[in-house]
Amino acid sequence: MTSKTGGKRASVASVRINMEASDKPAQKAPIRNKPSLGNVSVSTHASWSISGLLAAQRMTKNFKERRAHKVALVKKIEIVEPQPPSFASRPPEKVQVSAIRQILEGYLPLRLGDTTYDPKQVPSLVKEISDEIRSQVKKVLPARYKMLCVATMGERGQEDIKVVSRCLWDPHADNYAAHVYQNDSLFCVVSVYTVFCE
C-alpha cells in the first residue's frame, strides 16, 4: 500500500486510484520484494441471501407483540397494598410501635445512666425495669392487646452477645419493639411484644 504524506496508510479507494495511475510509463517501478496489489475493487452494495432474509424474518416475527405481552405481565404483578387473609385478626386499632420505641429510648438512659454492673443487684434491677416499662407502655396500648416485656442485662466486657427471640403470631395484628442501651459498665436489651387477643 502506498502511504500519504502524513505517515498514515492510504485507504482502499486511494490504493485503487494509485494502481490505475501506475499504468502510465512515467510512474516509478514498484518496490522490490513487495507483491503488487493488482486491481483492488471496493463494493458498496450489500449482499443479501434468501436464507438470511428468512432467518431474520423468523427472529423478528411477532417481536412487538411479545414485548408488549412481557410489559403487560410486569404491570399485572404489581401489588399496591397487601390485604390480610380472611383468617387473620383485624383489630380496630393497631399498636403504634414508634410510641413504644420512644418510651424505651427515653426511659433506659434515665434509669441506667450512672448505674454500674453488680451481679447481686441485677435480678431485682431487671424486674424493676420490666415492671416500670410495662406500666408506661400500657398507657399507649389499644384495647384487647396483651403485652410481654423482656429485659436482659449483662456486664459489658470484651465479649459479644446476641439476644434472639422467636415468636409465633399474626403479623397483621401483632408487633414488637426493642431497644439496646449501653454504658461503660453494662448493657441492657429490652423487648416489648404486643399480641392482639380476640
Side-chain angles (χ1 to χ4, degrees):
M1 289 181 145
T2 60
S3 62
K4 294 183 180 178
T5 56
K8 297 180 182 176
R9 290 186 151 219
S11 65
V12 175
S14 66
V15 169
R16 182 173 180 196
I17 293 169
N18 288 341
M19 291 307 291
E20 288 175 356
S22 66
D23 294 339
K24 297 180 182 178
Q27 290 288 337
K28 294 182 181 177
I31 302 174
R32 287 186 179 179
N33 298 331
K34 293 240 177 170
S36 99
L37 294 174
N39 290 333
V40 178
S41 64
V42 178
S43 173
T44 58
H45 301 292
S47 60
W48 301 96
S49 68
I50 298 296
S51 61
L53 287 173
L54 291 174
Q57 186 180 15
R58 279 193 305 268
M59 288 173 51
T60 59
K61 185 178 182 181
N62 299 329
F63 181 73
K64 289 182 181 179
E65 289 83 11
R66 285 185 286 163
R67 179 68 183 155
H69 182 67
K70 285 181 183 178
V71 170
L73 284 178
V74 171
K75 289 183 181 177
K76 287 180 185 176
I77 294 174
E78 185 177 333
I79 298 173
V80 177
E81 186 174 331
Q83 298 294 324
S86 59
F87 56 83
S89 300
R90 297 174 190 268
E93 184 182 357
K94 290 191 176 183
V95 175
Q96 295 179 357
V97 179
S98 60
I100 298 174
R101 281 198 186 116
Q102 286 177 355
I103 291 171
L104 296 177
E105 291 171 0
Y107 172 76
L108 289 176
L110 291 176
R111 182 70 171 87
L112 300 174
D114 55 353
T115 306
T116 58
Y117 182 78
D118 185 9
K120 295 178 183 176
Q121 295 179 356
V122 165
S124 62
L125 183 61
V126 168
K127 188 173 180 344
E128 289 174 15
I129 289 173
S130 180
D131 290 339
E132 291 173 4
I133 288 175
R134 221 177 19 219
S135 66
Q136 289 183 18
V137 171
K138 277 185 184 179
K139 297 174 185 175
V140 297
L141 269 184
R144 301 181 69 181
Y145 268 93
K146 300 291 184 184
M147 177 194 47
L148 174 68
C149 181
V150 179
T152 306
M153 188 177 292
E155 184 177 12
R156 191 166 176 207
Q158 300 290 331
E159 302 85 11
D160 291 338
I161 189 170
K162 283 187 178 181
V163 178
V164 181
S165 63
R166 182 178 291 177
C167 301
L168 181 63
W169 64 16
D170 183 4
H172 299 285
D174 307 332
N175 216 328
Y176 80 99
H179 184 66
V180 179
Y181 175 76
Q182 299 179 26
N183 63 15
D184 295 335
S185 176
L186 56 87
F187 69 89
C188 183
V189 180
V190 178
S191 303
V192 177
Y193 303 94
T194 57
V195 181
F196 181 71
C197 295
E198 292 186 284

